[in-house]
Amino acid sequence: MKFFIDTANLDDIQEAYDLGVLDGVTTNPSLMAKEGITGEQNILQRYKDICDIVDDNVSAEVISTEYEAMLAEGKKLAAIDDKIVVKIPMIKDGVKAIKALTDEGIRTNCTLIFNAGQAILAAKAGASYISPFIGRLDDICTDGLTLIEQIVQIFDNYEFETEILAASVRHNMHLIQCAEIGADVVTCPLNVITGLLKHPLTDSGLEKFLADYKKGNQ
Ligand code: E4P
C-alpha cells in the first residue's frame, strides 16, 4: 500500500518524507489556498518545491474545465517534473483529457470520484489513479468505505491497471480499513500518518523498559 500526504505544506511533506514511508503527495486548489499560495507562478513554484522533496507521485490539479484548456494545462504541469501526476476532475471533458494525456504518456489522477460508475469511466480512459473521496461521502451519511470495496471488486474483475487512491481520508480507522479492503494508495494529512505511531501500551511499555534498565545500570 502506498502512502501519499494530502497537503501543500512543505514542512509536513518533509516530515512525512523523513519518516521514510512517503510515496507521494496530493494537492488541490483548496490546499494551495490554505497555504496562502496564489497566482500561477507561485503555484507552479510550489509544485517544483514539492518535487524537490519527494521521490515520485506529485498530483498537480488543473483549474480548467474545458478539454483543450485542460490538455494544455496538463502538459504544462507535467513539464515541471517527471514526478508530476496531472489531477483531472471527473467531468466529461476531463475524461477526454485523461485519455489524451494518457496517450501522450502523461500520468493522470482522476479526482472527485463519488460512485463506482465514475471510477469505471476514469479507468477506461486510462487514468493512472482514481481518487474516491471517503470523508466527503461520510459527511453526507453515505459510507465512503463501501465505495472503496465496490471499486476494488470491479477493478479486480477486469484487471484494470488504474490504482485506487483513497482520498478524503480523515482518521486512522479510515486508513486501516482502506488497507483491509485493498486500496492501492491512501492520501491523508500528516496527523493521520503520525497517528499510526500511537498506542498507550507502547508508551508505558517503553517507560518501564527504560526505568528497569536504569535500575540495573546505576
Ligand atoms: C485528495 O486528492 C483530495 O483532494 C482530498 O483528499 C480531499 O480531502 P477533504 O475532503 O478532507 O478536503
Side-chain angles (χ1 to χ4, degrees):
M1 177 185 230
K2 293 182 197 165
F3 277 11
F4 290 178
I5 189 166
D6 196 25
T7 184
N9 182 287
L10 297 179
D11 291 337
D12 283 3
I13 294 167
Q14 188 69 59
E15 187 175 335
Y17 184 78
D18 289 345
L19 196 57
V21 298
L22 193 67
D23 301 294
V25 180
T26 50
T27 60
N28 62 40
S30 306
L31 292 170
M32 282 286 179
K34 192 175 163 196
E35 297 304 315
I37 302 160
T38 54
E40 190 187 3
Q41 287 316 311
N42 292 331
I43 291 171
L44 295 179
Q45 183 58 48
R46 180 51 60 109
Y47 288 135
K48 277 191 194 130
D49 294 342
I50 295 172
C51 289
D52 284 344
I53 298 175
V54 300
D55 299 329
D56 196 12
N57 290 310
V58 177
S59 280
E61 187 159 342
V62 299
I63 305 302
S64 317
T65 54
E66 182 273 323
Y67 172 69
E68 295 289 351
M70 282 172 135
L71 210 52
E73 203 186 335
K75 287 180 190 174
K76 193 170 185 178
L77 291 169
I80 295 174
D81 197 294
D82 286 347
K83 297 172 188 174
I84 294 286
V85 177
V86 179
K87 206 172 179 189
I88 305 266
M90 170 36 76
I91 55 176
K92 189 174 179 183
D93 282 33
V95 173
K96 288 160 67 179
I98 287 167
K99 171 81 175 91
L101 290 168
T102 303
D103 287 347
E104 294 202 24
I106 294 172
R107 291 179 295 168
T108 58
N109 169 3
C110 186
T111 190
L112 294 167
I113 298 279
F114 291 98
N115 68 39
Q118 293 177 322
I120 293 169
L121 203 52
K124 288 283 294 174
S128 316
Y129 297 98
I130 50 124
S131 291
F133 280 34
I134 299 176
R136 291 194 195 184
L137 282 169
D138 288 357
D139 287 345
I140 57 160
C141 304
T142 304
D143 185 7
L145 287 160
T146 301
L147 175 60
I148 304 294
E149 275 175 346
Q150 212 182 355
I151 299 172
V152 166
Q153 170 73 64
I154 292 166
F155 282 19
D156 280 354
N157 288 347
Y158 297 99
E159 297 179 0
F160 281 133
E161 286 177 13
T162 301
E163 293 187 57
I164 302 165
L165 195 176
S168 192
V169 166
R170 304 265 176 83
H171 51 71
N172 290 124
M173 285 313 294
H174 271 161
L175 190 152
I176 291 164
Q177 285 167 317
C178 280
E180 284 178 337
I181 292 166
D184 300 292
V185 191
V186 286
T187 190
C188 54
L190 180 65
N191 71 301
V192 177
I193 297 175
T194 55
L196 297 174
L197 289 164
K198 292 177 191 156
H199 198 288
L201 290 177
T202 304
D203 297 339
S204 59
L206 181 60
E207 200 178 318
K208 179 149 176 33
F209 285 156
L210 294 178
D212 288 346
Y213 174 85
K214 209 171 167 185
K215 266 189 256 165
N217 291 277
Q218 277 173 354

